Amino acid sequence: MSGKALNIGDQFPNFEAETNEGKIDFYDWMGDSWAILFSHPADYTPVCTTELARVGSLVPEFLKRGVKPIALSCDTAQSHRGWIEDIKSFGKLGSFDYPIIADDKRELALKFNMLDKDELNADGIPLTCRAVFIIDEKKKLRLSILYPATTGRNFDEILRVIDSLQLTQTKSVATPADWKKGGNCMVLPTVKPEDVPKLFPNGVETVEVPSGKSYLRITPQP
Ligand code: BEZ
């Protein structure tokens, strides 16, 4: 039986799990940080190896943003420890600096709806898809993405989303298509025209559009 689908803003449930580094209580492991929990179909698989190596090289970027990475794969902690040597070798990593949850019984994969019914292992059991959960320090789900097993994720995009989430939670802006840190932002539609000068001292450009409506308001990143 699968768990209830989690929506943005939901409390991310706590859990205990075995990892390559030992047993964790997820909330205790997070402490006051954010977390990115990302899942994998299985150990010793090619795309997963590239993903875990990429995150290994990006650990300082995640930590700079106050986000602790944790992976999940449907094999045992012992299997993870062996696989980590391959990941380090492939990614030319001196060390492997984040835990991998051992979900060999698929308990968390079921609880968090991570199973991909179209991708089966040799025994006909559904594999875990590539889920991404970004959870804030209050343990609220801030973002979820699901990729199929056959498509590796773009971790530059995931860092970009974290930058947007962390900016837009304190400033009255939203980030436009293909935004990157430091780029122009859009003033939130809820901001009243009379509040614009105080909130955006660096100026706002309103783009004219055929409707005559003044909703495309661009401002330098606050
Ligand atoms: C992989 O990581 O390469 C992979 C795993 C399961 C299905 C397809 C690809």
Side-chain angles (χ1 to χ4, degrees), residues 57-164:
S57 69
L58 289 175
V59 166
E61 288 299 320
F62 284 108
L63 297 185
K64 220 162 71 183
R65 291 161 173 84
V67 182
K68 291 172 79 174
I70 185 163
L72 175 149
S73 181
C74 291
D75 283 295
T76 62
Q78 194 185 358
S79 166
H80 292 351
R81 285 190 281 271
W83 184 33
I84 283 168
E85 295 309 310
D86 289 2
I87 297 165
K88 280 164 55 185
S89 165
F90 175 78
K92 300 186 174 43
L93 304 171
S95 57
F96 189 81
D97 299 326
Y98 61 96
I100 309 176
I101 293 168
D103 193 30
D104 47 311
K105 297 194 181 66
R106 289 177 165 68
E107 285 167 357
L108 294 176
L110 273 170
K111 184 177 163 95
F112 297 127
N113 282 318
M114 294 175 185
L115 292 179
D116 180 346
K117 64 180 170 45
D118 288 336
E119 285 289 339
L120 308 179
N121 70 7
D123 302 321
I125 296 170
L127 290 168
T128 317
C129 59
R130 300 182 195 281
V132 180
F133 296 115
I134 296 179
I135 303 144
D136 72 15
E137 79 288 0
K138 296 195 182 94
K139 320 299 187 270
K140 265 195 179 172
L141 180 66
R142 300 292 296 271
L143 174 112
S144 71
I145 318 177
L146 282 183
Y147 281 60
T150 43
T151 305
R153 286 157 283 201
N154 181 328
F155 288 93
D156 289 327
E157 165 61 6
I158 289 166
L159 288 172
R160 190 192 76 90
V161 172
I162 292 169
D163 286 339
S164 173

